[in-house]
Amino acid sequence: MPANQNPHPPLHTRRRLLQGAVAAGAGVVLGLDRFASAAHAAVAEYDVVVIGSGAAGMTAALTSAKRGLRTVVIEKAPTFGGSAARSGAGIWIPCNEVILAAGVPDTPAKAATYLAKVVGSTVPADRQAAFLANGPAMISFVMRNSPLRFRWMQGYADYYPELPGGMPNGRSIEPDQFDGNLLGAELAHLNPSYIPTPAGMTVFSSDYKWLTLSAVNAKGLAVSLECVSRYSAAVLRGEKPLTMGQALAGALRAGLLAADVPVWLNTPFVDLQFDGSGRVTGVIVTQNGTPTLVRATRGVIIGSGGFEHNLGMRTEFQRQPIGTDWTVGAKENTGDGIQAGKRAGAALDLMDDAWWGPAIPLPGQPYFCLAERTLPGCILVNANGERFVNEAAPYSDVVHVMYDRNVVAPDIPAWLVTDQNYRNRYLFKDVAPTLPLPDAWYQSGAVFKDWTVGGLATKIGLPPTALCDTIRRFNGFAVMGKDPDFHRGDSVYDHYYTDPAVFPNSCLAPLLLPPFYAFKIVPGDLGTKGGMRTDSRARVLRADGSVIPGLYAAGNASGAVMGHSYAGAGSTIGPAMTFGYVAANDIADTP
């Protein structure tokens, strides 16, 4: 029987379960007596029920199964992998065995010092310590219990490498190549990536830095050829090579297959079930349109993602302007788990925040900017035609500045302004250097072009004189190699996505060659980062600090251990997997 189907036939006693049910919201069904579950027959009974098949959920389920607990994964979508499968799958875990074997001089003391500086007092110290203590063990565990293997992302600096304990050469890792054939028929259910890799190439996240430069840099060309040869070699071996989020989600799912953990797709989570003492004892899900009870004798772990696609929640908790069109998170992430936790009495943290990043609202889906705003020969300007931020700063910081300043000097939307020299040298999204940008980009209003700076300013509604003055001032900085206004290029991190052929500062080049381009920039995100408050054991807490027994949360359904900041590439997935691992172990260790 396929793993995404219920292994037990519907029971006629479901009818009793639904007596007295009421509809609330978008088809949410809640029993009037949510605490009287003992008399209800369940479709199935497991020790642990995991909600969500992203990185947090699948890591939790794999851990639970390997600890000898009967485990099931409940997934709302017709695919598994969630936002993790769509991502570049960087993972930030200090002191893990992969980076230590590569010679990274990390230590627990350095990691603790750095994380404390980045996060501050927003997140309790014991939660930070739990992440740092369990992260390396989690990486070792998944490597020994699944086909998942990792590579060090050498050179991808921590986002604040100058802070005490920061690593200029980076701590982040990413999945190594994975053969999709190991999934068998389940490969067809893998959530597609956000941006597919180019046909005939096998690309790692760390390759993109060089692919962007392939037209102007010898190493960039060499990496491009390596991506082609890597793909060809895998195909000759009869493999279906997967990397990045596809490899992460695929390898974790392969681990679940080997551990006989069922993953029920097309099964939305509706609500939690409790016993008379207030302990979580199961979940109500929807199968084929019918609310169904699944018992959990030991615990429920919610790893259902954030609320980035829930307009009502974004409007309630986050700053304007906001919407659901600028996120690249999985479309099923509508806050179902967070809302269920809130109904159960959970406190919520960090609901105003997200894993932000500047995005271009291209037709079809937004494009999350990484290299494009960092490469030399571009600037970010606001509605006044003025620069307002270090364009190369960590992406979350850039959007925080956009929101902070928007009330006094409109920064939403902002504009990424470049010239033809920039377009001649660098890959932009998936458009090769010198090639024209798609007509649809212009037609949608996401991109504008003009032969003069003043003409470009007029087209995008900026004061022409102000934009000309801003570019003239920036060009002087580029020649000098120093940015006294916003210190672009002062941090090692600023230089990751830059052009080593540009001197004296690889982040800075003048905008001189017409035509000039302007790309609309809005506050995009990889997902929201607020959710249920949890403790160092991933248990969900009430506002008074008491534990909701039997209920755990990890990933974007919980308040992020990174607080309002972002320690390095993979600060979303690394903690999500870690606290999924922590939750499952706590259940196994608790009588």
Side-chain angles (χ1 to χ4, degrees):
M1 178 173 294
N4 63 321
Q5 294 183 5
N6 173 13
H8 299 276
L11 300 179
H12 69 279
T13 46
R14 277 191 195 160
R15 195 178 299 264
R16 294 203 307 270
L17 171 66
L18 299 177
Q19 288 176 347
V22 294
V28 175
V29 180
L30 300 176
L32 288 176
D33 183 2
R34 296 170 62 225
F35 295 93
S37 64
H40 298 317
V43 163
E45 180 176 287
Y46 291 87
D47 296 321
V48 178
V49 175
V50 177
I51 306 299
S53 67
M58 287 199 286
T59 303
L62 183 62
T63 307
S64 174
K66 290 298 181 179
R67 292 297 304 272
L69 302 177
R70 298 169 302 148
T71 305
V72 65
V73 177
I74 305 295
E75 173 55 56
K76 173 183 183 179
T79 57
F80 68 87
S83 293
R86 292 170 53 80
S87 73
I91 297 173
W92 195 82
I93 298 286
C95 298
N96 70 75
E97 66 174 83
V98 178
I99 64 172
L100 295 181
V104 177
D106 202 5
T107 67
K110 289 179 181 178
T113 298
Y114 175 70
L115 187 63
K117 288 289 185 182
V118 170
V119 174
S121 59
T122 307
V123 176
D126 64 337
R127 280 197 72 214
Q128 297 180 41
F131 164 62
L132 294 174
N134 288 280
M138 179 276 294
I139 292 295
S140 298
F141 168 82
V142 296
M143 289 177 66
R144 285 153 181 76
N145 291 279
S146 77
L148 189 55
R149 300 293 180 268
F150 298 100
R151 302 156 45 102
W152 176 36
M153 299 174 73
Q154 184 175 5
Y156 204 149
D158 286 344
Y159 287 176
Y160 309 98
E162 288 76 32
L163 289 179
M167 288 287 175
N169 217 18
R171 292 178 163 104
S172 300
I173 59 176
E174 64 172 314
D176 208 340
Q177 186 171 306
F178 168 71
D179 180 10
N181 287 323
L182 296 177
L183 287 171
E186 281 301 297
L187 179 59
H189 299 136
L190 174 59
N191 199 22
S193 60
Y194 156 55
I195 298 178
T197 55
M201 301 179 78
T202 298
V203 181
F204 294 109
S205 283
S206 55
D207 293 332
Y208 274 106
K209 164 186 170 69
W210 298 107
L211 294 179
T212 301
L213 304 173
S214 58
V216 295
N217 183 281
K219 183 170 181 179
L221 178 59
V223 169
S224 298
L225 296 174
E226 182 181 349
C227 291
V228 172
S229 63
R230 188 187 296 140
Y231 176 84
S232 300
V235 170
L236 287 173
R237 293 191 299 268
E239 298 177 0
K240 293 180 180 177
L242 302 177
T243 56
M244 296 184 282
Q246 297 288 280
L248 175 64
L252 286 173
R253 183 69 183 91
L256 295 183
L257 285 170
D260 294 322
V261 176
V263 177
W264 297 359
L265 303 179
N266 296 299
T267 306
F269 166 59
V270 176
D271 207 0
L272 298 165
Q273 191 76 6
F274 300 80
D275 65 14
S277 70
R279 179 181 181 82
V280 173
T281 56
V283 299
I284 301 171
V285 302
T286 302
Q287 289 189 316
N288 301 317
T290 302
T292 303
L293 175 63
V294 183
R295 297 193 191 282
T297 63
R298 300 287 293 273
V300 171
I301 303 173
I302 297 181
S304 53
F307 59 95
E308 55 266 26
H309 285 282
N310 186 318
L311 181 59
M313 292 180 73
R314 298 207 82 152
T315 301
E316 177 182 359
F317 292 108
Q318 299 187 324
R319 290 186 279 185
Q320 295 293 328
I322 197 65
T324 59
D325 296 332
W326 299 337
T327 180
V328 299
K331 64 181 182 298
E332 291 82 9
N333 291 348
T334 54
D336 306 345
I338 298 170
Q339 290 175 318
K342 183 180 179 182
R343 289 192 295 270
L348 304 182
D349 288 331
L350 301 172
M351 296 293 284
D352 60 328
D353 214 340
W355 304 100
W356 303 113
I360 303 172
L362 297 178
Q365 68 176 355
Y367 177 64
F368 195 91
C369 283
L370 288 175
E372 291 81 7
R373 63 187 170 80
T374 300
L375 288 162
C378 70
I379 57 172
L380 277 172
V381 297
N382 61 17
N384 295 331
E386 301 168 340
R387 291 178 70 213
F388 60 93
V389 71
N390 169 11
E391 295 86 350
Y395 34 89
S396 190
D397 287 356
V398 173
V399 174
H400 280 142
V401 172
M402 290 174 71
Y403 274 119
D404 290 346
R405 289 177 48 90
N406 192 55
V407 294
V408 293
D411 289 12
I412 302 174
W415 296 93
L416 180 70
V417 179
T418 70
D419 70 349
Q420 189 59 42
N421 181 57
Y422 174 101
R423 283 293 304 121
N424 288 343
R425 294 178 65 83
Y426 309 125
L427 181 76
F428 196 102
K429 188 178 180 285
D430 53 0
V431 181
T434 74
L435 293 184
L437 301 172
D439 290 342
W441 293 14
Y442 294 104
Q443 294 164 1
S444 71
V447 184
F448 293 82
K449 179 173 72 170
D450 198 90
W451 286 92
T452 68
V453 171
L456 183 69
T458 299
K459 286 182 176 178
I460 60 178
L462 306 188
T465 299
L467 184 59
C468 289
D469 289 346
T470 294
I471 290 178
R472 187 178 302 112
R473 179 175 176 83
F474 177 80
N475 287 349
F477 295 162
V479 172
M480 181 175 61
K482 200 73 176 173
D483 174 18
D485 285 351
F486 296 100
H487 308 287
R488 179 170 166 184
D490 285 5
S491 172
V492 172
Y493 171 79
D494 294 357
H495 291 268
Y496 183 71
Y497 286 113
T498 55
D499 185 348
V502 173
F503 292 94
N505 186 329
S506 67
C507 290
L508 305 176
L511 285 70
L512 299 170
L513 182 65
F516 300 91
Y517 301 82
F519 299 83
K520 183 181 289 186
I521 298 294
V522 296
D525 64 72
L526 302 171
T528 52
K529 68 178 347 185
M532 288 172 276
R533 182 178 301 168
T534 56
D535 65 9
S536 61
R537 294 160 59 181
R539 300 178 300 178
V540 175
L541 304 177
R542 302 183 182 93
D544 63 4
S546 62
V547 172
I548 299 177
L551 184 60
Y552 296 75
N556 289 350
S558 61
V561 74
M562 294 293 159
H564 291 292
S565 197
Y566 213 129
S571 291
T572 307
I573 295 177
M577 295 176 70
T578 298
F579 282 107
Y581 172 79
V582 167
N585 278 320
D586 194 72
I587 292 173
D589 291 337
T590 302

